């Protein structure tokens, strides 16, 4: 155990990561030596920022805490603090079941960690971050919460109603990040397209994106987590008119069957979804769409699933992920439906959907053969520089591999020619 050291472990999404980075900036300012996601935690304090979105995420959070309690028993670490989505929802259960945890904070009261350590939250550092990402890109969170109330989702229960950040606060954070050498902004929220309706009484994402794109030093701006219903169409001409806005949109659709969309309370039909996707592709030529689907939702029949497969074949999403439904207590689905699709059927459908997507992804990747793409270099790994194009978000999307003998460095933008393709990676040479 190392004195004056705090290890912070972040689980779950990039929105959690932003919270961790803000907390770490305050703790570092207070004089602590900060370590993020260490392989071998041995700080006098270890903080776990938990995820509570689906069953697998909750299980990972619990297992991480239990591993730390064993390390504490062996005196390898000192105190254990828990924060985030899981502890927001299950604070009392965690207190009762894992008494080895020294302090528990939720999704919104984690600033109290500073107070309980004998320090105050420094408002002058409000937008400061102890960044854990590579120096050339950062996530910027523009809102908390969600007002959508989809049948399966516990996020509104955990995070509450939608709360937009004031536009000037976001722009000031972007300017600070650019001054620190960040050139790629990943814009995130649970529902990006809902931005502004609570503050400005209208969807204001188009104006915000335009102003960020016009900020000097922003080379790339990428948009994550759009919602298809009530999509703000004025965003599309902004995306098309600014060359530094990546032709990329992460828009979770969840299913391709009208019956399932209705049961999920998504407030949109398959036909309306396809019309929206066609308009997005028409107004932003060459855009790559990332989506997420759910299989095994209560009542999903084989025909519903076959409709999802047909929808996926028609749309040919360049990027797609999927997961199996897990019941979340307190949600509409948990209260009104029976989880009647067996784990075996869920897994079979998930495997079949992802096998189809692998075929589509390979064809999309092979279509890039011989093309010249502008990429940003993320890191050196083995015999290759690992890079991404505007069509690829960090962590989740395909990467572009450039032979290591090429003289490059992380954060560098360059042009490459694609020489070969695999379903989830491309190989390239420097132009």
């Amino acid at each position: 155990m190392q004195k004056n050291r705090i290890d912070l472990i972040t689980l779950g999404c990039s929105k959690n990561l932003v919270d961790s980075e803000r907390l770490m900036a305050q703790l570092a300012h207070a004089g602590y030596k900060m370590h993020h996601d260490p392989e071998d935690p041995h700080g006098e304090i270890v903080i776990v920022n938990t995820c509570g979105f689906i069953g697998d995420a909750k299980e990972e959070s619990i297992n991480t805490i239990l591993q730390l309690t064993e390390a504490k028993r062996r005196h390898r670490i000192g105190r254990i603090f828990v924060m985030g989505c899981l502890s927001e929802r299950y604070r009392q259960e965690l207190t009762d079941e894992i008494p080895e945890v020294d302090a528990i904070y939720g999704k919104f009261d984690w600033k109290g960690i500073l107070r309980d350590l004998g320090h105050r939250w420094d408002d002058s550092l409000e937008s400061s971050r102890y960044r854990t990402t590579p120096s050339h890109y950062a996530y910027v969170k523009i809102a908390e919460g969600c007002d959508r109330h989809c049948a399966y989702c516990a996020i509104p229960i955990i995070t509450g109603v939608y709360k937009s950040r004031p536009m000037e606060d976001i722009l000031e954070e972007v300017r600070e990040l650019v001054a620190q050498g960040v050139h790629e902004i990943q814009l995130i929220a649970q529902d990006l397209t809902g931005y502004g309706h609570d503050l400005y009484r209208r969807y204001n994402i188009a104006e915000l994106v335009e102003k960020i794109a016009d900020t000097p030093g922003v080379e790339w701006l990428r948009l994550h987590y759009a919602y298809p219903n009530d999509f703000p169409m004025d965003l599309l001409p902004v995306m098309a008119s600014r060359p530094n806005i990546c032709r990329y949109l992460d828009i979770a659709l969840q299913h391709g069957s009208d019956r399932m969309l209705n049961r999920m309370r998504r407030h949109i039909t398959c036909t309306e979804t396809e019309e929206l996707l066609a308009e997005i592709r028409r107004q932003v030529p060459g855009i790559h769409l990332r989506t997420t689907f759910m299989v095994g939702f209560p009542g999903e029949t084989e025909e519903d699933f076959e409709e999802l497969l047909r929808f996926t074949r028609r749309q040919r999403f360049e990027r797609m992920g999927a997961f199996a439904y897990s019941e979340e207590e307190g949600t509409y689905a948990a209260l009104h439906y029976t989880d009647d699709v067996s784990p075996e059927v869920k897994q079979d459908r998930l495997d079949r959907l992802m096998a189809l997507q692998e075929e589509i992804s390979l064809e999309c990747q092979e279509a890039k053969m011989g093309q010249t793409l502008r990429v940003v270099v993320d890191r050196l790994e083995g015999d290759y520089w690992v890079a991404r194009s505007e069509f690829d978000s960090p962590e989740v999307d395909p990467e572009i591999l450039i032979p290591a003998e090429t003289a490059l460095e992380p954060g560098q933008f360059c042009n490459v020619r694609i020489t070969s393709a695999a379903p989830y990676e491309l190989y390239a040479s420097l132009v």
Side-chain angles (χ1 to χ4, degrees), residues 348-367:
D348 175 68
R349 290 175 181 171
L350 184 61
D351 292 343
R352 288 157 61 194
L353 178 59
M354 292 311 298
L356 171 60
Q357 180 58 29
E358 184 170 344
E359 296 175 13
I360 294 170
S361 181
L362 177 58
E363 292 169 2
C364 292
Q365 295 282 82
E366 288 177 336

Side-chain angles (χ1 to χ4, degrees), residues 20 110 134 187 211 248 423 427:
S20 292
W110 46 265
L187 212 60
K211 288 184 175 181
Y248 178 100
Y427 294 84

Side-chain angles (χ1 to χ4, degrees), residues 136 373-381 383-388 400-417 427-431:
H136 54 281
L373 299 178
R374 185 175 187 238
V375 303
V376 65
V377 178
D378 278 344
R379 66 190 183 277
L380 180 63
E381 192 172 285
D383 295 331
Y384 294 95
W385 289 105
V386 180
R388 291 175 292 107
I400 297 174
L401 306 181
I402 309 164
E405 59 262 24
T406 308
L408 297 171
E409 59 184 31
Q412 178 179 345
F413 285 85
C414 57
N415 292 325
V416 299
R417 181 172 291 108
Y427 294 84
S429 60
L430 194 67
V431 173

Side-chain angles (χ1 to χ4, degrees), residues 186-216:
Q186 315 284 345
L187 212 60
I188 58 172
Q190 186 64 33
D191 171 15
L192 196 79
T193 41
Y195 175 77
H197 76 274
D198 56 319
L199 283 183
Y200 309 111
R201 299 295 176 252
R202 62 188 179 89
Y203 293 128
N204 226 20
I205 187 64
E207 181 182 350
L208 175 64
V209 166
E210 185 174 45
K211 288 184 175 181
I212 295 175
D214 289 345
T215 301

Side-chain angles (χ1 to χ4, degrees), residues 50-53 58 62 82 84-97 104 106 154 157-158 327-330:
T50 58
C51 179
F53 177 49
K58 290 191 285 191
I62 293 295
V82 174
C85 292
L86 185 76
S87 52
E88 176 71 25
R89 195 170 187 207
Y90 300 106
R91 188 184 305 244
Q92 191 58 53
E93 291 87 340
L94 290 170
T95 301
D96 295 341
E97 297 296 328
I104 296 180
I157 300 172
I158 297 170
E327 185 174 276
E328 298 298 316
E329 63 179 293

Side-chain angles (χ1 to χ4, degrees), residues 14-16 18-19 22 107 129 139-144 165 170 173 186-189:
S14 53
K15 297 183 291 294
N16 264 11
V18 170
D19 291 342
R22 292 181 63 208
K107 177 69 175 170
R129 308 255 292 274
Y139 296 96
V140 173
K141 181 162 55 172
I142 67 170
E144 287 280 10
R165 290 177 61 195
I170 298 168
E173 181 178 3
Q186 315 284 345
L187 212 60
I188 58 172

Side-chain angles (χ1 to χ4, degrees), residues 14-242:
S14 53
K15 297 183 291 294
N16 264 11
L17 184 65
V18 170
D19 291 342
S20 292
E21 292 181 343
R22 292 181 63 208
L23 176 58
M24 291 173 73
Q26 295 279 343
L27 292 168
H29 183 70
Y32 292 98
K33 298 175 182 176
M34 299 306 305
H35 295 262
H36 186 253
D37 284 349
E39 291 186 9
D40 179 25
H42 56 276
E44 67 169 310
I45 299 170
V46 180
I47 303 171
V48 186
N49 191 354
T50 58
C51 179
F53 177 49
I54 59 175
D56 288 347
K58 290 191 285 191
E59 183 177 354
E60 181 186 21
S61 294
I62 293 295
N63 288 340
T64 299
I65 297 168
L66 292 175
Q67 290 167 9
L68 291 173
T69 63
E70 176 61 21
K72 179 181 177 181
R73 186 187 67 79
R74 292 161 45 215
H75 305 290
R76 290 191 56 77
I77 64 172
R79 289 181 286 174
I80 302 171
F81 294 173
V82 174
M83 60 181 277
C85 292
L86 185 76
S87 52
E88 176 71 25
R89 195 170 187 207
Y90 300 106
R91 188 184 305 244
Q92 191 58 53
E93 291 87 340
L94 290 170
T95 301
D96 295 341
E97 297 296 328
I98 314 179
E100 296 88 349
V101 173
D102 295 277
I104 296 180
Y105 307 85
K107 177 69 175 170
F108 300 106
D109 65 346
W110 46 265
K111 293 181 180 181
I113 292 174
L114 267 292
R115 178 197 63 235
D116 294 344
L117 292 176
H119 305 281
R120 68 176 183 85
W121 184 269
D122 191 336
D123 290 335
S124 69
L125 300 174
E126 183 65 28
S127 61
S128 297
R129 308 255 292 274
Y130 187 107
R131 287 196 298 108
T132 60
T133 54
S135 61
H136 54 281
Y137 72 81
Y139 296 96
V140 173
K141 181 162 55 172
I142 67 170
E144 287 280 10
C146 185
D147 293 340
R148 299 293 185 173
H149 298 286
C150 301
Y152 50 83
C153 185
I155 294 297
I157 300 172
I158 297 170
T159 63
V161 298
Y162 198 95
K163 296 184 181 70
S164 303
R165 290 177 61 195
M167 189 176 299
E168 187 50 47
D169 289 358
I170 298 168
L171 294 172
E172 178 59 28
E173 181 178 3
V174 170
R175 289 190 289 266
E176 287 187 15
L177 289 168
V178 169
Q180 296 166 17
V182 171
H183 300 297
E184 179 183 0
I185 299 295
Q186 315 284 345
L187 212 60
I188 58 172
Q190 186 64 33
D191 171 15
L192 196 79
T193 41
Y195 175 77
H197 76 274
D198 56 319
L199 283 183
Y200 309 111
R201 299 295 176 252
R202 62 188 179 89
Y203 293 128
N204 226 20
I205 187 64
E207 181 182 350
L208 175 64
V209 166
E210 185 174 45
K211 288 184 175 181
I212 295 175
D214 289 345
T215 301
V218 175
E219 294 274 347
W220 277 355
L221 172 59
R222 191 185 311 278
L223 310 183
H224 292 272
Y225 319 128
Y227 194 90
N229 186 35
D230 295 327
F231 186 91
M233 302 303 289
D234 60 342
L235 175 62
L236 299 180
V238 174
M239 294 183 70
S241 67
R242 298 298 193 279

